[in-house]
Amino acid sequence: MAKKKEPVKYDLGCGNNKQEGYVGVDIAQTDATDIVYDLNKPKWTFAGDESASDIYCSHFVEHVDSLINFFNEAHRILVTGGAMVVIA
């Protein structure tokens, strides 16, 4: 039986300002970006179901094509009881 991985903290749309202790995800490669990924894709392949304990997103949602898809995907990857902080 495979051991379940510890949940990850993601900073979505991190740009150059990734939160300490988080995995930075952005469409552009910067010094802070750990995963280069387009968060407008309909299913985020960089993270599995219930793989994130925390999501931080600052000044990014205005760049999202579909807020419904974005928040559905965030909900999918968050563990039960996980937290998401969105700063608009």
Side-chain angles (χ1 to χ4, degrees), residues 52-88:
S53 61
D54 297 88
I55 296 174
Y56 179 85
C57 182
S58 178
H59 302 286
F60 174 71
V61 294
E62 65 269 20
H63 303 289
V64 172
D65 293 339
S66 169
L67 288 175
I68 292 171
N69 182 68
F70 180 81
F71 284 108
N72 280 343
E73 283 300 288
H75 181 262
R76 181 184 66 80
I77 71 170
L78 273 171
V79 298
T80 300
M84 181 173 185
V85 172
V86 176
I87 299 169

Side-chain angles (χ1 to χ4, degrees), residues 6-66:
E6 287 294 315
V8 176
K9 295 178 177 183
Y10 288 106
D11 185 338
L12 303 180
C14 66
N16 279 318
N17 301 307
K18 179 176 70 176
Q19 297 297 297
E20 187 173 334
Y22 283 68
V23 173
V25 181
D26 202 285
I27 196 168
Q29 181 67 59
T30 70
D31 290 340
T33 307
D34 299 301
I35 299 171
V36 176
Y37 194 83
D38 181 357
L39 293 165
N40 284 307
K41 290 183 178 181
K43 179 154 179 162
W44 300 343
T45 57
F46 68 89
D49 295 355
E50 297 189 31
S51 62
S53 61
D54 297 88
I55 296 174
Y56 179 85
C57 182
S58 178
H59 302 286
F60 174 71
V61 294
E62 65 269 20
H63 303 289
V64 172
D65 293 339
S66 169

